[in-house]
Amino acid sequence: MSSWDSPPDYPLSSDLVRRLKCALAAGDNDTVQELICTEVEPVDAVIELANDDWMKEPSAQLPTGALLGLWTLEYKRELTTPLCIAAAHGHVFCVRHLLSHSADPDARPGGRGALHEACLGGHTACTRLLLQHGANPDLLSAEGLAPLHLCRTPASLGCAQALLEHGATVQLECGPGRDTPLHVAAQYGLDEHAQLYLGRGARVDARNARGETALSAACGAATRSPDEHARCLRLCALLLRGGAAADARDEDERSPLHKACGRARPSLCTLLLRHGADAGALDYGGASPLARALQTATCAPPAAPQRTVQALLNHGAPSVWPDAFPKVLRTCAQVPAVIEVLFNSYTKLRVSDSWQEVIPEEVYQKHEPFYRSLFALAHTPRSLQHLCRCAIRRLLGKKCFLLVPQLPLPETLQMYLLLEPEGVLR
């Protein structure tokens, strides 16, 4: 009979569970240690918890299964052990005490063992103690994840080092996605973890169940803060230096560049392009990296979408089919710099007065100088300077980004050739 079928040693209604939960909620470490070390018997007792996510980090989302359990007749029992609780909260004294009293370091009645919990919390000292007492460094949780796959924060670097020192498998493919630890590091933007894994022999172009390499996973991961952006850029540069294929496609034929463009990361796009990524690649849906950049332009950070579009065009990305330009105008009306960069990539493009109908009045008013200059071209040819720009760009082709800076021209003219937006069209 499994522990899920057996009655817990300390059910939800017990006095000890109530006091333990109160102590944890209050951050009363002394009381937590006293309860775990002096009152819980046996040392591997199974403790039942409520479905309130109380022993996880405050920002964690309640699992769907737990939510369903609250509203259906199915009761979702959450079980753990004293060792798991101590490891999850970094209580080194408790972990040492329990292990010295022969607690099983691999017990996982609730699906995760103490080593999983220590890695999730980034508690290096607890991780080392558990490993020294024989914890299995490759123990799989109920979700099929090894401890290395739960090293998901910068603070967990020490945990990852300890696991590898004790024989953890760096190339282990785990979970529904068949991710390796390097994939996990890429998904969470952990450049130091990635460097550690590569140094231990991780294959840089290993693929998961979705056909993604670590580089692909990193380019598609969400980042929010400047620090996360910087870590992601360092990680991708590390992977590329380690031999990662810049143009590796996943199961949907999307390249890392498709994903970086979809996330509006101009620095990352430029990095990929300079390592040979195909600016004109098409995914299974027929979308190019440029199309991905245009689709997400209005929700991207300021300046990012036009920089992404500019980088793609300067690396030879085909421009949008002229008949589709009104659709781009409708989609990107709030980001006129994107429209300017794209419009200037054509030698000539017939401007229609009807285009004004797709631009909301408030957007037109906000960016009136630009839109006035755009619609003025409906009756005026492009300048000779622009035609010369197009001729030079056509001659240089995909090497515009490389050759234009070498031309004996003032920097302002070089930037003009590289489609630097000016705020108006001429």
Side-chain angles (χ1 to χ4, degrees):
M1 182 179 292
S2 72
S3 57
W4 286 84
D5 300 318
S6 305
D9 297 286
Y10 292 92
L12 185 62
S13 58
S14 66
D15 178 65
L16 182 135
V17 171
R18 284 197 296 268
R19 286 187 288 147
L20 184 59
K21 289 175 64 176
C22 288
L24 285 166
D28 186 351
N29 292 337
D30 292 338
T31 300
V32 170
Q33 293 186 46
E34 181 180 355
L35 289 172
I36 289 177
C37 296
T38 64
E39 293 196 30
V40 177
E41 294 182 359
V43 71
D44 283 329
V46 176
I47 300 172
E48 180 183 8
L49 306 178
N51 287 318
D52 55 7
D53 223 33
W54 64 274
M55 66 172 290
K56 301 180 180 67
E57 58 184 273
S59 62
Q61 295 295 312
L62 196 61
T64 303
L67 287 170
L68 291 174
L70 295 175
W71 297 103
T72 69
L73 296 178
E74 181 184 3
Y75 178 66
K76 297 289 183 181
R77 177 181 291 171
E78 186 177 344
L79 304 176
T80 189
T81 65
L83 189 60
C84 285
I85 295 173
H89 292 275
H91 297 322
V92 180
F93 173 83
C94 286
V95 170
R96 183 179 292 110
H97 171 84
L98 294 166
L99 290 170
S100 69
H101 285 74
S102 303
D104 181 1
D106 289 339
R108 51 183 188 91
R112 288 203 298 253
L115 199 53
H116 296 113
E117 300 291 1
C119 290
L120 270 174
H123 303 305
T124 302
C126 291
T127 298
R128 290 194 176 276
L129 266 175
L130 290 162
L131 290 165
Q132 289 164 8
H133 282 78
N136 180 2
D138 284 337
L139 180 71
L140 298 184
S141 68
E143 295 84 15
L145 300 176
L148 269 181
H149 291 74
L150 298 179
C151 293
R152 299 171 175 172
T153 63
S156 68
L157 180 62
C159 300
Q161 290 172 327
L163 288 165
L164 291 170
E165 289 168 7
H166 284 79
T169 306
V170 75
Q171 203 54 42
L172 193 63
E173 298 177 358
C174 287
R178 307 303 299 168
D179 290 319
T180 66
L182 187 60
H183 282 99
V184 175
Q187 290 159 8
Y188 288 89
L190 303 175
D191 56 313
E192 291 183 313
H193 287 64
Q195 186 170 13
L196 173 66
Y197 300 152
L198 290 171
R200 292 283 183 151
R203 296 197 305 273
V204 72
D205 275 338
R207 293 179 181 268
N208 60 19
R210 298 175 296 280
E212 295 176 313
T213 62
L215 180 63
S216 180
C219 292
T223 58
R224 291 168 292 278
S225 69
D227 183 56
E228 287 176 324
H229 281 284
R231 285 206 312 268
C232 180
L233 192 60
R234 289 196 301 269
L235 187 147
C236 291
L238 172 70
L239 294 171
L240 288 163
R241 287 197 304 271
D247 208 33
R249 308 294 187 89
D250 63 16
E251 62 183 4
D252 295 319
E253 281 296 303
R254 286 182 180 164
S255 66
L257 186 59
H258 277 98
K259 297 179 180 183
C261 289
R263 294 288 185 183
R265 298 176 184 173
S267 298
L268 182 51
C269 291
T270 299
L271 177 68
L272 293 167
L273 289 163
R274 295 193 175 185
H275 279 81
D278 183 359
L282 300 179
D283 63 18
Y284 271 146
S288 66
L290 179 59
R292 295 283 293 160
L294 295 174
Q295 288 165 2
T296 58
T298 56
C299 55
Q306 60 262 32
R307 296 299 176 205
T308 304
V309 172
Q310 194 176 358
L312 290 167
L313 293 171
N314 286 330
H315 284 77
S319 198
V320 175
W321 184 251
D323 289 347
F325 197 85
K327 183 178 180 180
V328 174
L329 194 60
R330 183 183 301 107
T331 302
C332 302
Q334 298 179 52
V335 196
V338 168
I339 298 169
E340 179 183 352
V341 171
L342 189 62
F343 190 86
N344 281 335
S345 67
Y346 299 90
T347 302
K348 57 181 179 180
L349 182 63
R350 183 180 178 184
V351 178
S352 170
D353 290 328
S354 64
W355 287 4
Q356 189 165 346
E357 298 173 5
V358 306
I359 302 173
E361 180 62 28
E362 63 274 12
V363 174
Y364 184 93
Q365 294 296 330
K366 182 178 180 180
H367 305 288
E368 186 175 356
F370 170 77
Y371 284 115
R372 195 167 55 242
S373 71
L374 171 63
F375 295 117
L377 294 176
H379 313 289
T380 306
R382 295 304 300 266
S383 67
L384 181 59
Q385 181 173 300
H386 170 72
L387 297 178
C388 290
R389 166 168 61 184
C390 291
I392 295 172
R393 287 180 59 83
R394 186 165 53 251
L395 180 65
L396 301 182
K398 294 181 179 181
K399 294 186 177 180
C400 275
F401 76 97
L402 181 64
L403 298 179
V404 166
Q406 299 179 31
L407 295 176
L409 296 171
E411 184 179 355
T412 52
L413 277 180
Q414 290 180 358
M415 298 307 293
Y416 179 79
L417 288 172
L418 292 172
L419 304 178
E420 183 69 15
E422 301 177 347
V424 293
L425 291 165
R426 306 180 194 279

